[in-house]
Amino acid sequence: MKKKIFLSTLTIILLAVAIFYPKISASVDDLYLKIAVMNDIISIINESYVEEVDWAKTMEGAYRGMLEELDPHSVYINKDKLKTVKEEFQGNFQGIGIEFDIIDGYITVISPIVGTPSERVGLQSGDKFLKINGESAYKITQEETFKKLRGPKGTTVTLTVKRVGEEEPFEVEIIRDDIPIYSVLAHFIVEENVGYVLVNRFSQKTAEEFSDALHDLKGQGMTSLIIDLRYNGGGYMNEAVEMLDHFLNAGDMIVYTKGRLPNANEDFYATGKGEFKDLPVVVMINRGSASASEIVSGALQDLDRGMIVGETSFGKGLVQRQWPLKDGSAVRVTVARYYTPSGRLIQRPYDNGLQDYYESIVLADETDSTVLDTTDKPVYKTKAGRTVFGGGGITPDVLVKRHLNLSKPTVKVFQHSDRLFFKFAQELSKEYPNAPADAENFIFNEDLPEDYLEEFLSFVGDKVESLTLEDLQKDKDYVEMQLKSEMAKMWWGNNAFYKARLLADNQFEAALEHIPDAKALPGLKP
């Protein structure tokens, strides 16, 4: 009865709207018919379904389905999920560290959060979780996902994963850990006074953390900057705008939004108060870089203010506004699209459904790492007249795919739940009576003990039976990076850990190589 009273009230409101706003009466009539059909469906289920209906669960499914029909990023957020969302951007929590969505009934990884257990075991964008702790994860809700994947630090969860391009699923055991609340995970100086800042998301304090990092690096003699936005899935737009303000001149457009309603249309400009307008900048992006990351990279590219290196970004250019609902839940609805200063729409097409939307970015550019196919990409011009490309995401100035090409046994070592690299690094560190005096020299110049590969193979033992010395020799650069980063973290902390992670990183090497190009950009004001 209450449902019928509610629907009748809503009908009266809609009819009143139609009277006072006749231009939308046709759409209101259609909406009224759809509401009436929904009312009939609810009544039929309530009166005739074979079992007692869990209306909270059923209606939540209806809410989600309705929003999924709009676009990939309009979502219903239940009360528990809303609490989790706030934690991710404001507080602290413990879990495995992924950004995900439920696609075709399965948890699908959008991107692993840098520095978390999911990144350490090698989860990738597009991975689907078939089972959690041996139980089917099909048709799992977001609420159930958080309950199953989050948990106290040190506890484990076993996932059965299906990966795009691989025929057979595989299992991976993940040890839960603290998920970092800081969005700037590391900052340090590398060769020739190049500053490096790793930003993994845009939360409420990202701009403040980024500003602190810049000023610290300036004090260390920084003369150019690399911003690493790889696997940064975005967050708050205003934090990206404030970050960009450090580098741009007064009046430079940063981003603009366009929606159906006037209040969704906004233009964002630089204030000119930034202290780093003469600092050469290179930005690293990949397919996990989305939303606010694309605002930063797109604006710097369009304003000829920074070189973009890496892979085409994700292509998330929809602006959501969140409304609280009476039951403590919320709805996040797309109200506008955002555009870079040159007029590029960053949003990728999603006409072929959610599965294609997420999988297509994983499969893109697989055939050649040095040649970018721009055949179907619309052409735009930067402020100084350079050619840039639209069509979804930010197309980098320098296309460089990350090269790993690891043997399968080495991948198994990396994914092993016993954290074999970490444990062996602890053993290997015992061969050093004292920590090396200089972190930089240890990471980039010193060799590990001569027989460390043989020792590692012996240490792994029967945990990865198929591993051979030939595998380790083939993947020596990668193995060295893993061991040095773990040892560096033990001795010098997170900055040294992330500095060592840049070993054999061909995208980072390309970023260094193109700093002279960043210095020559016409948008740089010396």
Side-chain angles (χ1 to χ4, degrees):
M1 179 62 70
K2 289 182 179 179
K3 293 183 182 67
K4 292 182 179 179
I5 292 173
F6 165 76
L7 290 171
S8 298
T9 304
L10 180 59
T11 301
I12 292 171
I13 293 171
L14 291 174
L15 289 174
V17 171
I19 291 171
F20 289 102
Y21 298 94
K23 291 182 180 179
I24 63 169
S25 61
S27 61
V28 168
D29 288 343
D30 186 56
L31 179 58
Y32 168 65
L33 177 60
K34 296 297 185 289
I35 292 173
V37 170
M38 174 62 79
N39 189 30
D40 288 343
I41 292 171
I42 292 172
S43 297
I44 291 168
I45 293 173
N46 193 46
E47 295 170 5
S48 305
Y49 188 66
V50 65
E51 297 175 356
E52 189 71 24
V53 178
D54 182 344
W55 279 110
K57 182 178 179 180
T58 302
M59 293 308 296
E60 192 169 308
Y63 306 151
R64 289 199 307 268
M66 177 168 57
L67 290 162
E68 284 177 3
E69 285 298 314
L70 298 178
D71 63 75
H73 303 292
S74 290
V75 293
Y76 169 77
I77 310 170
N78 65 34
K79 185 177 180 179
D80 292 337
K81 166 66 174 175
L82 186 60
K83 178 183 177 182
T84 301
V85 170
K86 290 179 179 178
E87 286 176 347
E88 289 180 359
F89 286 95
Q90 301 173 19
N92 188 22
F93 64 96
Q94 295 175 338
I96 69 169
I98 59 167
E99 296 190 14
F100 72 94
D101 205 342
I102 308 295
I103 303 172
D104 293 334
Y106 290 107
I107 303 164
T108 303
V109 177
I110 306 306
S111 64
I113 298 172
V114 175
T116 65
S118 65
E119 191 248 2
R120 289 197 291 267
V121 301
L123 292 183
Q124 299 179 5
S125 297
D127 283 350
K128 295 182 183 295
F129 298 169
L130 305 183
K131 295 180 181 180
I132 300 175
N133 290 330
E135 296 181 0
S136 174
Y138 184 58
K139 293 290 186 182
I140 193 172
T141 66
Q142 290 204 355
E143 180 181 0
E144 292 167 337
T145 300
F146 285 112
K147 287 180 179 178
K148 289 180 180 290
L149 296 185
R150 291 191 173 187
K153 179 179 179 178
T155 59
T156 62
V157 58
T158 300
L159 305 175
T160 303
V161 181
K162 180 68 175 70
R163 178 164 292 167
V164 176
E166 296 190 9
E167 293 184 6
E168 297 297 325
F170 60 91
E171 282 194 355
V172 58
E173 188 174 79
I174 303 181
I175 302 172
R176 296 182 180 95
D177 203 347
D178 291 320
I179 305 307
I181 60 173
Y182 293 106
S183 50
V184 175
L185 295 185
H187 70 280
F188 45 78
I189 295 289
V190 292
E191 60 186 65
E192 298 180 359
N193 293 323
V194 177
Y196 170 90
V197 181
L198 172 61
V199 187
N200 82 323
R201 65 175 62 197
F202 288 82
S203 58
Q204 284 190 341
K205 294 187 177 181
T206 298
E208 177 184 338
E209 293 173 29
F210 185 75
S211 179
D212 290 343
L214 284 185
H215 286 93
D216 185 40
L217 293 172
K218 181 180 179 180
Q220 296 180 49
M222 173 180 64
T223 57
S224 56
L225 175 66
I226 295 174
I227 305 173
D228 193 344
L229 298 180
R230 292 176 296 179
Y231 293 114
N232 185 321
Y236 296 128
M237 178 189 290
N238 62 300
E239 297 295 311
V241 170
E242 193 171 340
M243 178 188 288
L244 285 162
D245 205 32
H246 288 289
F247 307 109
L248 304 179
N249 296 306
D252 280 343
M253 174 173 279
I254 293 174
V255 64
Y256 65 94
T257 66
K258 292 171 63 177
R260 181 169 61 92
L261 302 177
N263 65 3
N265 300 331
E266 294 186 85
D267 299 336
F268 298 86
Y269 295 92
T271 65
K273 298 178 181 178
E275 301 176 31
F276 298 91
K277 293 191 287 291
D278 59 348
L279 184 70
V281 177
V282 176
V283 180
M284 299 166 63
I285 60 173
N286 65 7
R287 296 188 188 99
S289 307
S291 187
S293 294
E294 295 170 303
I295 291 175
V296 171
S297 51
L300 291 174
Q301 188 179 49
D302 280 2
L303 298 171
D304 304 288
R305 186 60 188 82
M307 289 291 294
I308 313 303
V309 174
E311 301 163 77
T312 301
S313 61
F314 185 84
K316 195 270 187 186
L318 301 179
V319 182
Q320 284 75 49
R321 189 170 294 168
Q322 186 167 301
W323 282 267
L325 302 176
K326 293 180 179 179
D327 63 353
S329 63
V331 64
R332 190 177 292 168
V333 176
T334 297
V335 297
R337 299 179 178 90
Y338 70 73
Y339 298 78
T340 69
S342 68
R344 289 183 289 173
L345 172 63
I346 298 305
Q347 181 61 46
R348 283 190 297 116
Y350 47 86
D351 299 339
N352 295 328
L354 292 183
Q355 181 171 349
D356 178 79
Y357 176 66
Y358 286 111
E359 288 189 356
S360 62
I361 196 67
V362 178
L363 299 173
D365 301 330
E366 289 292 336
T367 56
D368 195 324
S369 63
T370 60
V371 178
L372 179 67
D373 183 5
T374 58
T375 305
D376 298 322
K377 289 182 176 288
V379 174
Y380 294 82
K381 295 294 182 180
T382 67
K383 188 175 182 179
R386 294 188 306 136
T387 297
V388 291
F389 298 97
I394 298 297
T395 301
D397 298 301
V398 181
L399 178 65
V400 183
K401 283 184 59 181
R402 182 69 188 275
H403 293 313
L404 288 175
N405 299 321
L406 300 177
S407 64
K408 288 187 177 181
T410 302
V411 173
K412 289 181 180 179
V413 174
F414 176 63
Q415 294 176 337
H416 201 281
S417 61
D418 285 351
R419 294 187 63 178
L420 299 175
F421 284 119
F422 172 75
K423 288 185 176 180
F424 183 71
Q426 289 183 312
E427 294 297 317
L428 193 60
S429 67
K430 295 177 182 177
E431 299 188 22
Y432 295 79
N434 299 296
D438 182 78
E440 184 91 5
N441 185 61
F442 169 77
I443 292 170
F444 293 106
N445 299 321
E446 285 191 26
D447 293 326
L448 293 176
E450 184 176 352
D451 58 350
Y452 82 95
L453 289 179
E454 289 85 351
E455 289 184 13
F456 184 56
L457 181 63
S458 177
F459 178 84
V460 172
D462 59 357
K463 293 183 182 297
V464 184
E465 294 181 359
S466 59
L467 185 67
T468 67
L469 185 59
E470 288 72 22
D471 292 322
L472 295 178
Q473 288 170 336
K474 171 185 174 294
D475 301 328
K476 182 178 178 180
D477 289 344
Y478 176 80
V479 174
E480 181 181 11
M481 178 273 289
Q482 289 287 347
L483 295 174
K484 279 191 171 182
S485 62
E486 295 289 2
M487 295 166 74
K489 187 171 186 177
M490 280 188 277
W491 289 329
W492 300 291
N494 279 340
N495 271 343
F497 171 79
Y498 286 109
K499 183 177 288 189
R501 302 287 291 181
L502 299 176
L503 281 169
D505 184 335
N506 62 300
Q507 290 179 329
F508 172 70
E509 291 168 0
L512 283 174
E513 290 172 4
H514 287 278
I515 284 175
D517 295 325
K519 292 179 179 179
L521 285 172
L524 186 67
K525 299 294 183 182

